[in-house]
Amino acid sequence: MRKIIKWRWAILVAWLVATVLLTAFQPDVNAILHQRGQDPLSEDSPSKVAGKMLSKMNETKGMSDILIFYNKDKLSEEDMKQIGTAVQSLRAKQAELGLTNFIDPITVPQAKASLVSPDGTTLMASFILEKNGRSVDEIGEQIESVLKDVKVEHYLSGEDFIQNDYIKASTKGVEKSAALTVIFILLVLVIMFRSLVIPFVSLAAVGVSYLCSMGIAAQVIDKLDFPITSVTQMLLILILFGIGTDYNILLFNRFKEELAHGSSVDDAIVTSYKTAGKTIVYSILTVFIAFAGLSFSEFGIYKSANVVAIGAVVLVLEILTLTPFLMKTLGTKLFWPSKKVTGHKESRFWAKLTQVSVKNPVVTTVIIVVLLIPVLLTSGQKLSFDQLKELGNDHPSTKGFSIVGDHFSRGQALPTTVVIEHNKAMDNNEALSVVDKLTNNLKKIEGVVSVSSVTQPQAAPIDFFYASGETEADGSKKFFIPDQMLASPDFQQSEASYMSKDRTITKLIVILKDDPYSTEALDTVERINSQLTSTLKDSTSLSDSTYGAAGPSSTTYDMNKAQIKAFNGTAVIVIISVLIVLIFVIRSFWPAVYIVLALLASYYVAMSASKLVTEYFIGADGVSSFVPFFSFIVIVAVGVDYSIFLMMRYKEYGKMAPSEAIVKSAKSVGGVIISAMVILGGTFATLIPSGLVLLIELAAAVIVGLVVLCYVLLPMLVPALIVLPEKLKRKRAAKSSS
């Protein structure tokens, strides 16, 4: 440390150069996010496989979107004239705009039944959007420039536009949160240290860490095609500023304490780093390992959060090299305008809680465990993947989709597409019979409104295709298309619409009753997948075909399955990693286990809280799907820091009896831990004004989890469990001696 103090000016220059270069040449991660979208699924997921087959069949690559025209009083003749002109203009610029498979009810009259609402107020045009390197915002502007003379109320919606609005809302929420975080931390540090210097010094140091971390992360995201999501930058901001400030509180408090004991500035720095510095290194190690463990996750959204591991490495380098420069250069001026340098106040409150628990460890443990039982029983989550409900109707894409939902079937705008690929052409009676049977079987599924296919292009059976009086083994009418009908222009048109050019791929369009992102839609997709498998496996001609379901409902269903699997696997990795680090730091097995149990208990309390907030305050159908995992990783990876703060001080009193040592430790670091909790909890509280359901639920879960950890589990349950063996041993000894 003395060498770092000696070379402090060179170190400062190195940090400034690194910060400037990494910031100046940082790729725009928001632009990358808008360009790529959020795609957390692996290439072999069923919906992606189906999507690839569909792209191969359509000879295009992109997602399904819609253009919606609306007049609440019914579309007039003048409206339809304007819409017709607009459609012709769009068709004339299809290639330029990247609109493929463009279907509208004006130039394709047979689509009128499905694209014009029964009440005549709403008209849709569907298309597949090829981005061709453009952002969705750019595409939207290009389409709107074509529609500039259209006076009819209109909206762009569908997969691309809904996801784009969701990303924009998330980005806006993160930017608002970042500004509020800075203001909040400044106020808390001013109040805590009674200093006008420390808040700005601390924020500057953490800010340098963030800028360098984000610069490195952005290069990795851009150059190595690393996954990025709307929560990536948010997590890095919240956790770096949260824990960075926490560590500064611990370090500056120890520095202040050493100065109060009469040490010189250099000696105070060296002693601070030998004690608090070591604690900080161990704490950052747990954060690094927990987030680095996400690299092994197959789920892209979880994997994207391991940029925090990059942040942890940069932060520890900053604390070990740049912060000593600030301490040496400013010395006692850090605490200006306070002229008197005194140590931080001891926490009598925390000491009292710990004292009560170590005097009555059995009673304390039993009471807390009993109180946790109902929490554990009510912590189960109903997850929601519904981006539409999270966004509300304040965005063009969701407002347009809401209109479609009100005037069509809820699933009309974004249908599920079943795709089948065979190694031989399927334009024969044997294969078409299986497709028709599948069409009829899918129609029987609860939650399915209609199914159209090559044999039922208008979503209804064609009587001429069934042999009179002949039935299959299952009692259904035997399907048979005469050769002259197979060669007819009408059926050739149906094949062109529902099959690939070589007729080896065919699709079935399934309209669902419910919103495509709803839980009910996901249940319907599960039944569709099951029926698809059973029908094709039972057939003789298509049993060896490749098949799957594409569309937002299918993608969301696959995300749900992948997320649950990834959560379970990644959570185990994180818990084991944290336990190993704790054992290494504490040098004792059982206290490490007790701390991990406390962290898990605080997580389950957090889940109960998020469920309560979701049901009774937000009024949503379920907790946003990303909340459980990110709550878990924050509470476990960051909450363990507070345990390390306590246990490192506990180790300093190793010669004392465990009960006395833990009380003294609680008294010494309790105030620091509570301050750290307030800082981190406050940074997450800044997410609430964002208005985004995901961020509000995440904030509520993390805050409640940290409060319970810092006011109940750490000062009471963990100390009680630590002294419990000693207490029981004494009781047994007393009984045997009597």
Side-chain angles (χ1 to χ4, degrees):
M1 183 51 63
R2 293 191 187 276
K3 287 184 179 180
I4 289 173
I5 294 172
K6 181 181 178 181
W7 291 97
R8 62 188 182 279
W9 290 104
I11 290 171
L12 173 66
V13 171
W15 273 106
L16 291 176
V17 170
T19 304
V20 170
L21 290 177
L22 286 170
T23 304
F25 294 100
Q26 177 182 313
D28 187 342
V29 290
N30 287 330
I32 294 171
L33 178 59
H34 281 283
Q35 177 65 36
R36 292 187 196 169
Q38 297 191 115
D39 187 8
L41 293 174
S42 59
E43 293 300 315
D44 60 350
S45 62
S47 59
K48 271 205 166 183
V49 171
K52 288 175 185 175
M53 289 190 290
L54 195 59
S55 296
K56 184 178 174 182
M57 173 186 160
N58 294 329
E59 297 182 345
T60 185
K61 186 178 181 181
M63 292 195 287
S64 301
D65 294 297
I66 49 174
L67 173 60
I68 304 148
F69 295 94
Y70 175 68
N71 185 332
K72 62 184 176 65
D73 298 321
K74 193 174 181 179
L75 293 167
S76 64
E77 287 187 18
E78 176 59 29
D79 290 339
M80 294 301 291
K81 185 178 178 181
Q82 285 189 38
I83 294 169
T85 302
V87 165
Q88 292 301 328
S89 299
L90 288 171
R91 284 188 172 276
K93 295 188 175 183
Q94 265 188 267
E96 180 186 334
L97 295 171
L99 310 182
T100 60
N101 286 52
F102 194 95
I103 302 173
D104 68 90
I106 296 172
T107 53
V108 187
Q110 58 266 39
K112 187 175 181 180
S114 59
L115 295 178
V116 178
S117 64
D119 61 7
T121 62
T122 312
L123 180 149
M124 291 192 297
S126 65
F127 56 90
I128 293 174
L129 181 61
E130 287 189 330
K131 295 181 183 177
N132 299 326
R134 302 166 297 165
S135 70
V136 175
D137 284 334
E138 286 179 284
I139 295 168
E141 290 172 4
Q142 290 170 2
I143 293 174
E144 287 296 342
S145 68
V146 177
L147 303 175
K148 64 179 183 295
D149 295 327
V150 177
K151 306 301 181 186
V152 185
E153 187 177 336
H154 59 276
Y155 303 91
L156 286 164
S157 188
E159 293 183 80
D160 286 301
F161 296 97
I162 291 171
Q163 187 179 92
N164 188 57
D165 279 342
Y166 188 84
I167 291 171
K168 285 198 290 187
S170 301
T171 303
K172 188 177 178 181
V174 169
E175 290 171 353
K176 184 187 292 185
S177 171
L180 291 174
T181 296
V182 170
I183 295 169
F184 172 79
I185 289 175
L186 280 173
L187 290 174
V188 171
L189 290 178
V190 168
I191 294 169
M192 187 178 299
F193 285 97
R194 301 287 194 272
S195 166
L196 296 177
V197 178
I198 280 183
F200 293 97
V201 167
S202 177
L203 277 173
V206 177
V208 166
S209 300
Y210 168 71
L211 290 174
C212 290
S213 301
M214 198 63 237
I216 295 169
Q219 295 294 344
V220 171
I221 290 165
D222 183 39
K223 303 299 189 297
L224 302 182
D225 201 30
F226 205 75
I228 180 173
T229 68
S230 58
V231 298
T232 302
Q233 196 170 359
M234 176 199 74
L235 276 177
L236 190 60
I237 291 171
L238 293 177
I239 292 178
L240 268 192
F241 277 90
I243 67 173
T245 306
D246 289 351
Y247 298 152
N248 284 337
I249 290 172
L250 185 67
L251 195 59
F252 291 147
N253 261 320
R254 192 59 185 248
F255 181 54
K256 189 178 181 183
E257 189 178 319
E258 294 303 321
L259 289 174
H261 291 158
S263 299
S264 66
V265 171
D266 284 15
D267 289 342
I269 293 172
V270 171
T271 304
S272 296
Y273 274 90
K274 281 182 179 178
T275 53
K278 187 187 293 184
T279 301
I280 290 168
V281 170
Y282 286 144
S283 298
I284 294 182
L285 180 62
T286 60
V287 174
F288 170 78
I289 289 176
F291 280 94
L294 301 181
S295 302
F296 299 103
S297 176
E298 295 180 0
F299 193 61
I301 289 176
Y302 292 173
K303 192 173 184 177
S304 71
N306 72 358
V307 297
V308 177
I310 296 173
V313 172
V314 175
L315 180 62
V316 75
L317 290 174
E318 181 277 315
I319 287 174
L320 293 176
T321 58
L322 183 58
T323 301
F325 164 84
L326 299 169
M327 295 165 79
K328 170 64 177 175
T329 305
L330 295 171
T332 57
K333 294 184 180 69
L334 268 175
F335 309 101
W336 184 87
S338 177
K339 294 180 180 179
K340 187 179 179 182
V341 179
T342 57
H344 68 278
K345 292 181 180 179
E346 294 180 329
S347 177
R348 293 181 180 179
F349 176 69
W350 241 56
K352 189 66 177 175
L353 291 176
T354 305
Q355 198 170 39
V356 169
S357 68
V358 297
K359 281 185 177 179
N360 308 283
V362 176
V363 175
T364 301
T365 303
V366 169
I367 290 174
I368 292 175
V369 169
V370 168
L371 290 174
L372 285 173
I373 289 173
V375 171
L376 296 174
L377 293 175
T378 58
S379 62
Q381 301 291 322
K382 178 186 177 185
L383 299 182
S384 170
F385 293 83
D386 200 335
Q387 293 182 346
L388 295 168
K389 287 187 178 178
E390 284 192 31
L391 281 170
N393 289 335
D394 297 332
H395 304 270
S397 64
T398 54
K399 188 173 182 180
F401 195 89
S402 180
I403 290 171
V404 171
D406 291 338
H407 299 276
F408 289 88
S409 157
R410 301 298 293 178
Q412 186 89 28
L414 298 175
T416 294
T417 305
V418 170
V419 193
I420 305 168
E421 182 174 17
H422 195 50
N423 53 13
K424 296 177 182 177
M426 292 184 283
D427 56 348
N428 56 76
N429 267 292
E430 192 176 10
L432 292 172
S433 177
V434 177
V435 172
D436 192 69
K437 183 178 181 179
L438 176 62
T439 306
N440 291 324
N441 287 346
L442 292 177
K443 286 181 181 179
K444 298 172 186 176
I445 293 174
E446 182 184 354
V448 171
V449 173
S450 66
V451 184
S452 56
S453 66
V454 63
T455 64
Q456 299 185 32
Q458 298 300 319
I462 299 174
D463 291 337
F464 189 72
F465 289 171
Y466 299 92
S468 178
E470 295 187 45
T471 60
E472 302 283 359
D474 60 1
S476 61
K477 289 183 179 180
K478 187 174 181 179
F479 182 92
F480 180 80
I481 304 179
D483 290 342
Q484 65 270 26
M485 179 58 72
L486 281 172
S488 69
D490 286 343
F491 194 74
Q492 291 290 314
Q493 178 61 43
S494 181
E495 286 186 322
S497 299
Y498 288 92
M499 302 184 87
S500 59
K501 287 181 180 178
D502 61 4
R503 306 304 189 242
T504 60
I505 305 174
T506 189
K507 68 179 180 181
L508 296 84
I509 299 174
V510 184
I511 306 298
L512 306 185
K513 180 180 72 174
D514 303 294
D515 282 336
Y517 301 100
S518 66
T519 305
E520 293 78 12
L522 303 194
D523 293 339
T524 304
V525 166
E526 185 170 14
R527 292 190 286 269
I528 288 172
N529 288 340
S530 178
Q531 183 59 248
L532 177 59
T533 300
S534 63
T535 301
L536 294 183
K537 291 298 181 186
D538 290 344
S539 71
T540 54
S541 57
L542 299 181
S543 59
D544 58 345
S545 58
T546 305
Y547 53 86
S553 300
S554 299
T555 300
T556 306
Y557 175 79
D558 286 348
M559 281 178 59
N560 188 18
K561 289 184 68 176
Q563 186 165 335
I564 292 170
K565 182 181 177 183
F567 190 158
N568 295 335
T570 310
V572 170
I573 293 172
V574 170
I575 290 168
I576 292 173
S577 301
V578 168
L579 179 61
I580 291 171
V581 172
L582 282 171
I583 292 171
F584 172 76
V585 172
I586 302 171
R587 308 288 182 180
S588 183
F589 177 75
W590 286 112
V593 172
Y594 302 150
I595 289 169
V596 169
L597 290 174
L599 293 170
L600 291 174
S602 63
Y603 164 71
Y604 282 109
V605 173
M607 287 302 91
S608 288
S610 67
K611 188 176 182 180
L612 192 71
V613 168
T614 300
E615 289 183 8
Y616 296 101
F617 292 92
I618 298 175
D621 293 335
V623 175
S624 295
S625 58
F626 303 147
V627 169
F629 180 78
F630 287 114
S631 300
F632 170 82
I633 197 70
V634 172
I635 290 169
V636 172
V638 180
V640 74
D641 283 2
Y642 308 149
S643 309
I644 292 175
F645 291 177
L646 177 65
M647 298 310 294
M648 287 297 287
R649 186 56 71 105
Y650 175 70
K651 283 180 65 180
E652 290 184 28
Y653 305 129
K655 294 181 180 180
M656 297 180 182
S659 56
E660 185 182 352
I662 196 70
V663 171
K664 193 170 178 64
S665 302
K667 191 174 185 179
S668 179
V669 301
V672 175
I673 291 174
I674 290 172
S675 300
M677 181 274 294
V678 169
I679 290 287
L680 187 63
T683 59
F684 273 86
T686 61
L687 294 175
I688 294 173
S690 70
L692 205 61
V693 172
L694 162 66
L695 302 184
I696 294 170
E697 290 173 344
L698 180 61
V702 169
I703 291 168
V704 170
L706 292 179
V707 167
V708 170
L709 180 67
C710 290
Y711 283 102
V712 180
L713 301 174
L714 265 188
M716 299 189 75
L717 180 61
V718 171
L721 291 172
I722 287 174
V723 303
L724 191 57
E726 180 191 4
K727 283 279 186 180
L728 294 176
K729 187 178 179 181
R730 285 182 183 176
K731 282 188 177 182
R732 284 195 296 267
K735 284 182 180 180
S736 61
S737 62
S738 62

